Amino acid sequence: MAMIQVSNLKKSFGNLEVLKDVSFEVNKNDVVAVIGPSGSGKSTMLRSLVYLEQVSGGSIRIQDEYLVKEGVYGDSQKIKQITGKMGMVFQHFNLFPHLTVKENLEIAPRVVKGESTEAISQRSTELLEKVGLADKANVYPAKLSGGQKQRVAIARALMMNPDILLFDEPTSALDPELTGEVLQVIKQLAQEHMTMMVVTHEMGFAREVANQIMFMDNGEFVEAGTPEQLFTNAQFERTRTFLQRALK
């Protein structure tokens, strides 16, 4: 079952074409790693899936419902309903500094979904245990390491019970020794069959965890395939050149 269907997606900032006719599908339980050089449009593409960027043309369907059809968006209620099926984890965590870890997790379900305090509290406790931070529930973000902040951000995204999780370079703001603890949480989610798209520069992680890799360059998807196909038998010179540099 297709969870995400993107066709002929285009995005321009003035005269600069950032996305050029991008098309792809993500199926249920897929873990898709999106790789490519900086400035290739990876983050813009990912942000367009949750309406953080408005596209200039093309279509996005989430679980068979159009977020945008041939460049035309539905009404705000429809957009909210469709984007609510997805959770997003950002490069720089985006935690509320004035709220504790537990409060960061609980604010969206309370405000957006109006869930009961008891149900929210139970789920936040379970998710903090899941990401190994049960002992940090009442701590403020300033007291956390970068890796801990990112694990809180993942737990916060999971609080909304998304069907799809999107990660925009989740480890690029972290010191190398903190990267592993975040990737371990994402690996665990992959083992639990969460549908995910991960924009990443971590080639080892992409090779080990993703079942599909998409290589993007200069606003285009150049090629896609299994890790085995891309890492050992890439079809295009652009892909081979990028991987040779990235794997040094």
Side-chain angles (χ1 to χ4, degrees), residues 90-93 150 168-175 179 199-202:
F90 299 90
Q91 183 177 346
H92 293 291
F93 328 126
Q150 194 60 292
D168 188 9
E169 300 193 13
T171 60
S172 62
L174 303 179
D175 294 331
T179 296
V199 171
T200 184
H201 290 293
E202 298 286 338

Side-chain angles (χ1 to χ4, degrees), residues 3 15 21-23 34 36 84 91 97 117 119 152 162 164 167 169 171 203 207 215 228-230 236:
M3 300 289 274
N15 294 325
D21 211 26
V22 169
S23 299
V34 185
Q91 183 177 346
T117 301
V152 171
I164 301 161
F167 294 85
E169 300 193 13
T171 60
M203 295 300 120
R207 191 169 197 163
F215 172 62
E228 183 70 16
Q229 287 168 333
L230 251 72
F236 291 89

Side-chain angles (χ1 to χ4, degrees), residues 5 35 43-44 109-110 122 130 134 156 164-165 196 200 213 220 237:
Q5 294 163 290
I35 63 172
S43 292
T44 300
R110 183 173 293 117
Q122 183 179 341
K130 183 186 187 78
R156 182 177 62 178
I164 301 161
L165 266 185
M196 295 186 282
T200 184
I213 296 181
E220 302 172 304
E237 184 60 34

Side-chain angles (χ1 to χ4, degrees), residues 113-126:
K113 291 190 170 182
E115 294 182 43
S116 74
T117 301
E118 187 180 344
I120 292 171
S121 181
Q122 183 179 341
R123 193 155 81 254
S124 67
T125 299
E126 289 169 357

Side-chain angles (χ1 to χ4, degrees), residues 162-234:
D163 296 321
I164 301 161
L165 266 185
L166 308 174
F167 294 85
D168 188 9
E169 300 193 13
T171 60
S172 62
L174 303 179
D175 294 331
E177 65 269 19
L178 299 177
T179 296
E181 65 190 59
V182 174
L183 295 181
Q184 192 56 46
V185 173
I186 302 174
K187 284 180 192 176
Q188 183 184 345
L189 292 170
Q191 289 161 3
E192 295 168 2
H193 307 296
M194 170 65 80
T195 304
M196 295 186 282
M197 282 194 85
V198 186
V199 171
T200 184
H201 290 293
E202 298 286 338
M203 295 300 120
F205 166 77
R207 191 169 197 163
E208 180 186 351
V209 179
N211 67 305
Q212 183 88 332
I213 296 181
M214 298 177 177
F215 172 62
M216 200 168 178
D217 187 25
N218 195 29
E220 302 172 304
F221 269 130
V222 179
E223 67 178 302
T226 65
E228 183 70 16
Q229 287 168 333
L230 251 72
F231 281 101
T232 63
N233 192 30

Side-chain angles (χ1 to χ4, degrees), residues 28-210:
K28 189 174 175 63
N29 304 334
D30 273 352
V31 179
V32 177
V34 185
I35 63 172
S38 296
S40 58
K42 304 184 301 295
S43 292
T44 300
M45 177 276 298
L46 201 72
R47 289 168 63 85
S48 71
L49 299 179
V50 285
Y51 196 60
L52 291 174
E53 298 283 359
Q54 289 192 47
V55 298
S56 312
S59 302
I60 299 170
R61 276 196 290 175
I62 306 298
Q63 293 178 315
D64 246 6
E65 292 191 279
Y66 280 102
L67 174 66
V68 56
K69 185 174 184 180
E70 295 174 9
V72 179
Y73 286 89
D75 61 44
S76 59
Q77 192 60 37
K78 188 71 172 173
I79 290 169
K80 187 177 174 184
Q81 179 231 321
I82 292 172
T83 56
K85 298 176 180 182
M86 294 174 280
M88 181 118 177
V89 178
F90 299 90
Q91 183 177 346
H92 293 291
F93 328 126
N94 292 12
L95 300 177
F96 294 112
H98 62 290
L99 300 179
T100 66
V101 164
K102 191 170 171 64
E103 288 167 344
N104 262 281
L105 264 64
E106 294 178 358
I107 186 169
R110 183 173 293 117
V111 173
V112 177
K113 291 190 170 182
E115 294 182 43
S116 74
T117 301
E118 187 180 344
I120 292 171
S121 181
Q122 183 179 341
R123 193 155 81 254
S124 67
T125 299
E126 289 169 357
L127 285 171
L128 286 174
E129 285 178 8
K130 183 186 187 78
V131 299
L133 292 171
D135 60 330
K136 303 295 185 185
N138 298 311
V139 169
Y140 288 90
K143 299 289 187 182
L144 301 177
S145 70
Q148 289 170 332
K149 288 176 185 174
Q150 194 60 292
R151 283 186 282 155
V152 171
I154 294 171
R156 182 177 62 178
L158 290 169
M159 280 293 290
M160 300 297 281
N161 291 323
D163 296 321
I164 301 161
L165 266 185
L166 308 174
F167 294 85
D168 188 9
E169 300 193 13
T171 60
S172 62
L174 303 179
D175 294 331
E177 65 269 19
L178 299 177
T179 296
E181 65 190 59
V182 174
L183 295 181
Q184 192 56 46
V185 173
I186 302 174
K187 284 180 192 176
Q188 183 184 345
L189 292 170
Q191 289 161 3
E192 295 168 2
H193 307 296
M194 170 65 80
T195 304
M196 295 186 282
M197 282 194 85
V198 186
V199 171
T200 184
H201 290 293
E202 298 286 338
M203 295 300 120
F205 166 77
R207 191 169 197 163
E208 180 186 351
V209 179

